Amino acid sequence: MTADLASRYDQRVPRYTSYPTAPHFTDGIGPDDYAAWLGGLDATRALSLYFHIPFCDSMCWFCGCYTKIVKQYKPIASYLEVLIKEIEEVADRLPARFPARHLHWGGGSPTLLTGADWMRTLERIRARFDVAADAEVAVEMDPRDTTEDYVRDLAAAGVNRASIGVQDFDPEVQKAINRDQPYDVTRRVVEWLRRHGIGSLNMDLMYGLPHQTVARVEAMVEKALTLEPQRVALFGYAHVPWMKAHQKLIDEAALPDTVERWRQFTAASARLIAAGYVAVGLDHFARPDDALAVALGKGRLHRNFQGYTVDDAAVLLGFGASAIGSLPQGYVQNVSPLKDYARAIEGGTLATGRGVALSADDRLRAEIIERLMCDLAVDLDDVARKHGASAGGFGTELAGLTPLRADGIVVLDGRRIALTEAGRPFVRLVAAAFDTYLQTGQARHSKAV
Ligand code: SF4
């Protein structure tokens, strides 16, 4: 495998955290559909909960999230009131009290909530859902906002997993993305988290940022290893300034090209594997005894809007502006503008702005794509049988993989597709062969590598 392939397959494809992907949601799905879908859920199955806090105190120029910059706490406090009301509105529409085993807080910066906010919100959640005693309660953390007292409050509220945003430790790279975060700030927060019992730590790193080089990315991984995270996510910077206007502040001339991005990913990945981490899917790495690596070994890894997960719940309820939920009937996404979100919830309705109802074909393709993204392999006939479809289909899709086979990215064994190890960075391209929406859609995605 040479960098030449990265250059030849320089295409823009979705990251497949869902299928169909969010750009294909439509406003044909609204609050009434969501209410009906909630009412039809099976209360014997545990569900997962996601909470979106769309505020930050400064804008990182690489950011791809839905967030708003605030300098005061007041808008956050008002938003939290609405979010708590949304929990009540959604719970009221469920046919029973449901067990919940995974709670995830993302943003934005959830760590802009106060310690008292955490206590109160988790109390309200526990009042409406049976949160298992061993439930995973995960929070995305910006180490720049955090004190030791705050970490103590998080632990007291029940948080037991933290995802720490780092991106890169290099000061020049940090300056170019407007994220000043000295290594010692991150190190201190890691120490506090472990001291107060929040021992499950993920670390988010990036390649493809302005001024990054292979040597700098290797140095970034070395520094990350000194903090001994259980999991590392190694994301490629997605430069989409037509969707995220603040990315125009990034100097495009300082961005690595596709071949250099491929070299950076390969170098960082090799260093993590040499340090004993297991490569998980497209862009995650986990210690061999971590639940993510264990799930991978058992074929039980999953992918949802937060990325790779051991969470196998069939239902993910999303709370907050722009939050996405996944139900057996389809996907729902709340409206994004904060005013519209608040108006809907305060008016006693749900805030669903768009979504998609899943067809049988969508479900079948969603599972093929999820298995490819997780296991880097799928047996088409096994999945087809599971979905009550006839074996032997997907001739067009398989034919579409011919160039990837010729280039050693995938191998076919009967009706089983498997990525080669060298083909791992191209898994999104293989998944895209099964995406019928991609052919017709107008959405522009990030680069495949
Ligand atoms: S802290 Fe996170 S969500 Fe906020 S601007 Fe930076 S990257 Fe985006």
Side-chain angles (χ1 to χ4, degrees), residues 56 58-60 62-63 65 67 69 107-109 142 144 167 179:
C56 292
S58 67
M59 179 58 88
C60 309
F62 69 91
C63 182
C65 303
T67 192
I69 304 307
S109 299
D142 182 345
R144 299 170 300 169
Q167 327 315 333
R179 186 172 174 123

Coordinates of all heavy atoms in Angstrom, one line a residue, residues 56 58-60 62-63 65 67 69 107-109 142 144 167 179, ligand 1:
C56 N -19.9 26.9 24.3 CA -18.5 26.8 24.7 C -18.1 28.2 25.0 O -18.8 29.2 24.7 CB -17.7 26.4 23.4 SG -18.0 24.7 23.0
S58 N -15.1 29.6 24.2 CA -14.3 30.1 23.0 C -14.4 29.2 21.9 O -14.7 28.0 22.1 CB -12.9 30.4 23.4 OG -12.2 29.2 23.6
M59 N -14.3 29.7 20.7 CA -14.5 28.8 19.5 C -13.1 28.2 19.0 O -12.2 29.0 18.7 CB -15.1 29.6 18.4 CG -15.3 28.8 17.1 SD -16.4 27.4 17.3 CE -18.0 28.1 17.1
C60 N -13.0 26.9 19.0 CA -11.9 26.3 18.3 C -12.2 26.3 16.8 O -13.2 25.9 16.4 CB -11.7 24.8 18.8 SG -11.8 24.6 20.6
F62 N -11.3 24.6 14.4 CA -11.4 23.3 13.7 C -12.8 22.7 13.9 O -13.2 21.7 13.3 CB -10.4 22.3 14.1 CG -10.6 21.8 15.5 CD1 -11.3 20.7 15.8 CD2 -10.0 22.5 16.6 CE1 -11.5 20.2 17.1 CE2 -10.2 22.1 17.9 CZ -11.0 20.9 18.1
C63 N -13.5 23.3 14.9 CA -14.7 22.6 15.4 C -15.8 22.3 14.4 O -16.1 23.1 13.5 CB -15.4 23.5 16.5 SG -16.8 22.7 17.3
C65 N -18.7 20.8 15.6 CA -19.9 20.5 16.4 C -20.9 21.6 16.3 O -20.6 22.7 15.9 CB -19.5 20.3 17.9 SG -18.3 19.1 18.1
T67 N -22.4 24.3 18.2 CA -22.2 25.0 19.5 C -22.3 26.5 19.3 O -22.2 27.0 18.2 CB -20.8 24.6 20.1 OG1 -20.7 25.0 21.5 CG2 -19.6 25.1 19.3
I69 N -20.9 30.3 21.2 CA -20.0 30.9 22.2 C -20.8 31.8 23.2 O -21.5 32.7 22.7 CB -18.9 31.7 21.5 CG1 -18.2 30.8 20.4 CG2 -17.9 32.3 22.5 CD1 -17.7 29.5 21.0
G107 N -21.2 17.9 23.3 CA -21.5 19.3 23.0 C -20.7 19.8 21.8 O -20.4 19.0 20.9
G108 N -20.3 21.1 21.8 CA -20.3 21.9 23.0 C -19.4 21.4 24.1 O -18.6 20.5 24.0
S109 N -19.5 22.1 25.2 CA -18.7 21.8 26.4 C -19.7 21.5 27.6 O -20.0 22.5 28.3 CB -17.8 23.0 26.7 OG -16.9 23.2 25.7
D142 N -13.8 19.5 28.4 CA -12.8 20.5 27.9 C -11.9 20.7 29.1 O -12.3 21.4 30.1 CB -13.4 21.8 27.5 CG -12.4 22.8 27.0 OD1 -11.2 22.6 27.2 OD2 -12.8 23.7 26.3
R144 N -9.7 22.8 29.8 CA -9.4 24.2 30.1 C -10.5 24.8 31.1 O -10.2 25.8 31.6 CB -9.4 25.0 28.8 CG -8.3 24.5 27.9 CD -8.4 25.2 26.5 NE -9.7 24.8 25.9 CZ -10.2 25.4 24.8 NH1 -9.5 26.4 24.2 NH2 -11.3 25.1 24.3
Q167 N -6.7 17.2 20.9 CA -6.4 17.5 19.5 C -4.9 17.4 19.2 O -4.5 16.5 18.5 CB -7.0 18.8 19.0 CG -8.3 19.3 19.7 CD -9.4 18.2 19.8 OE1 -9.4 17.3 19.0 NE2 -10.3 18.3 20.8
R179 N -6.8 27.0 20.1 CA -7.1 26.2 21.3 C -5.8 26.1 22.1 O -5.0 25.2 21.9 CB -7.6 24.8 20.8 CG -8.0 24.0 22.1 CD -8.7 22.7 21.7 NE -9.0 21.9 22.8 CZ -10.2 21.5 23.2 NH1 -11.2 21.7 22.5 NH2 -10.3 20.8 24.3
Ligands
SF4_1 S1 -14.5 23.0 23.0 FE1 -15.2 21.4 21.6 S2 -17.2 21.9 21.0 FE2 -16.3 23.8 21.9 S3 -15.5 24.9 20.1 FE3 -13.8 23.6 20.9 S4 -14.0 21.7 19.8 FE4 -15.9 22.8 19.4

